[in-house]
Amino acid sequence: IEFTRAASVKPLDLIIWPETSVSTLLNDSNEILKEISTAASNVPVIIGVNELVDGGMRNSIAVIGKDGIVLDKFHKKNNF
């Protein structure tokens, strides 16, 4: 959060967090998503996060926009 909140020399178009950087499930993360969005001054943030999907856990990425809204997401495909 602090790195996201830190001032940048140039205006940012996008902030990217590492894989599984959010410790709560995407399904239960409304408050942290709002906190991330606020820290980013509403610049879109790509986060790595786990999500419960179709009864199983998926390693996912999500694009977070203004007010912590999930703009898009992608789930890794398991090959086993």
Side-chain angles (χ1 to χ4, degrees):
I1 294 285
E2 293 306 314
F3 282 123
T4 299
R5 191 181 333 267
S8 175
V9 175
K10 297 180 183 179
L12 301 176
D13 296 320
L14 180 67
I15 298 169
I16 301 173
W17 284 27
E19 185 173 10
T20 62
S21 54
V22 176
S23 60
T24 59
L25 293 172
L26 185 61
N27 314 72
D28 302 322
S29 60
N30 289 341
E31 292 304 313
I32 188 67
L33 297 183
K34 288 177 187 174
E35 186 176 344
I36 291 168
S37 177
T38 299
S41 299
N42 295 316
V43 170
V45 179
I46 295 177
I47 60 168
V49 63
N50 289 316
E51 182 176 21
L52 289 177
V53 178
D54 298 327
M57 180 105 50
R58 295 309 259 316
N59 191 355
S60 306
I61 61 170
V63 180
I64 309 306
K66 184 177 180 180
D67 298 324
I69 302 297
V70 176
L71 302 175
D72 206 355
K73 58 187 172 179
F74 173 81
H75 309 291
K76 284 186 176 180
K77 183 177 180 183
N78 294 330
N79 291 324
F80 52 88

